[in-house]
Amino acid sequence: MERREVHKDLPAPLFVVFNRASGRGDRDEVGPAVEAACAAAGRPCELFPVDKPGRLAETAGRAVQRARETAGIVVAAGGDGTINGVTQAVLGSGCRFGVLPRGTFNYFARTHGIPVDLEGALQVLLTEDAVAVQVGLVNGRVFLVNASLGLYPQLLEEREAWKQQFGRSRLVALGAGIRTLMRGHRSLRLTIEQGGQARQVRTATLFVGNNALQMEQVGLPESQAIDAGCLAGVMLKPVGRWTLLALLARGAFGQLGEADQVQNFAFRRLTVTARSFGARRIKVATDGEVLRMSMPLRFEVSAHPLMLIRPAGLAQERREAQAAAAASAEAGA
């Protein structure tokens, strides 16, 4: 849910953390573009480049400190992984937050109506107000788009290997996904506790979504639950590799919610224990980054919203996705 916050003390300085390794190979474009746009708008700015992924948290922390000292705005320029890392430092700090999307998919920016072109995103950053947007947490770790365990982290690791070899594109990501599905996978045996009730499940993957646009594009109704302040849980029943490929195709055509093999549900808090892993650590993907976490896993909506600089109202891409879903439902009726 959104809550608009108007600041009458603008212009505020911008503290821009940008990942020079992100997305489109535009290593030297972000800094000059930000400086030129801020100079034209009479806005002070300070750049915080990140040359190594291991320095992102430290650099974002310094940007947050400077923003708190000056009532400034912290800005993340990069893909969803970079935006996630900067959000981890911003959340709970009281700082406003801006995004200059530079990744491959840019789901976080797109679901909030922030243009994926640099000029358009800078225009939003320099002219719009802050809106409270929802943040998901898994064991205290931020996720803005999704978090998952099981097959999905495996898909992401394979995709990253393909990107290193063939470059970053959606076609490369699709090819990597198909190869991973064809290689087979192991089902997870999980105990899921929600609302004081526990149930045991067996699934290829547990996917927790916090991005309404992504849910709408694959045809899952939980986009509405995300808008209402919940997270979206998605599980696949144990199936073979050909069925998984069919589900991938359904998702590409926005029909995943119609598949009998898919279980989806909404929640605000969820605890997950893997019976086959005991107390061991397990791979978890958060916004495209894979790391190991100790069980149990606790998924929840953060008590602190992110004050995001974004256009007011529903994003155009989301309106189009909803219109397409409505047209499809009417045609099938």
Side-chain angles (χ1 to χ4, degrees):
M1 293 186 292
E2 297 182 2
R3 171 168 53 84
R4 182 156 291 275
E5 183 176 282
V6 179
H7 291 262
K8 298 180 180 180
D9 56 347
L10 295 177
L14 304 180
F15 300 93
V16 184
V17 181
F18 62 102
N19 187 352
R20 290 185 169 179
S22 273
R24 306 172 180 178
D26 50 359
R27 293 171 59 91
D28 301 316
E29 179 184 359
V30 172
V34 170
E35 290 177 323
C38 287
R43 294 283 290 276
C45 70
E46 189 173 335
L47 303 179
F48 292 78
V50 180
D51 293 304
K52 298 179 180 179
R55 302 290 299 275
L56 178 59
E58 174 194 344
T59 305
R62 289 193 287 112
V64 168
Q65 181 178 354
R66 291 284 293 121
R68 294 186 70 176
E69 293 169 350
T70 59
I73 299 169
V74 179
V75 180
D80 285 329
T82 299
I83 295 169
N84 175 295
V86 180
T87 300
Q88 190 79 41
V90 171
L91 191 66
S93 69
C95 296
R96 286 165 287 166
F97 183 61
V99 169
L100 299 174
R102 311 307 298 150
T104 304
F105 294 97
N106 300 311
Y107 267 117
F108 179 69
R110 288 161 55 202
T111 202
H112 293 297
I114 299 171
V116 296
D117 65 285
L118 187 54
E119 182 178 353
L122 280 166
Q123 179 68 14
V124 167
L125 183 62
L126 292 169
T127 60
E128 298 289 350
D129 294 321
V131 174
V133 302
Q134 176 174 294
V135 175
L137 299 175
V138 51
N139 287 9
R141 172 83 182 193
V142 161
F143 63 97
L144 299 170
V145 181
N146 58 60
S148 59
L149 57 150
L151 179 61
Y152 197 71
Q154 183 181 340
L155 285 167
L156 291 176
E157 288 186 320
E158 187 78 23
R159 187 179 79 185
E160 191 59 31
W162 274 48
K163 284 180 178 179
Q164 295 295 327
Q165 186 174 357
F166 301 111
R168 294 178 179 270
S169 74
R170 298 188 182 193
L171 185 60
V172 169
L174 177 61
I178 292 173
R179 179 180 176 181
T180 303
L181 296 182
M182 294 303 295
R183 289 172 61 184
H185 63 281
R186 181 176 61 178
S187 293
L188 297 174
R189 297 179 182 273
L190 305 175
T191 299
I192 294 179
E193 183 179 342
Q194 180 184 0
Q197 296 184 336
R199 57 184 171 127
Q200 296 184 346
V201 300
R202 186 169 170 237
T203 181
T205 191
L206 171 62
F207 179 97
V208 177
N210 186 36
N211 187 280
L213 176 64
Q214 189 177 51
M215 296 292 102
E216 287 166 345
Q217 288 190 334
V218 298
L220 291 171
E222 267 60 37
S223 60
Q224 299 174 17
I226 294 173
D227 287 336
C230 293
L231 298 172
V234 182
M235 293 189 295
L236 300 182
K237 297 177 182 178
V239 295
R241 63 191 65 180
W242 293 109
T243 302
L244 281 173
L245 285 174
L247 291 173
L248 180 65
R250 275 183 175 271
F253 287 99
Q255 301 172 347
L256 194 60
E258 302 172 9
D260 295 334
Q261 300 87 352
V262 177
Q263 297 176 311
N264 43 290
F265 54 97
F267 66 91
R268 287 189 62 86
R269 292 181 182 84
L270 189 76
T271 301
V272 178
T273 303
R275 288 178 283 152
S276 57
F277 290 89
R280 289 168 52 189
R281 296 162 70 85
I282 189 171
K283 286 183 180 179
V284 179
T286 57
D287 294 348
E289 304 293 325
V290 180
L291 61 156
R292 288 188 176 272
M293 289 187 174
S294 298
M295 304 297 285
L297 301 177
R298 295 180 176 87
F299 296 90
E300 61 186 331
V301 176
S302 172
H304 301 285
L306 188 65
M307 297 308 301
L308 177 68
I309 307 294
R310 56 150 293 179
L314 193 67
Q316 176 65 29
E317 192 170 359
R318 288 203 57 201
R319 289 198 295 268
E320 293 171 356
Q322 291 177 4
S328 177
E330 184 177 346

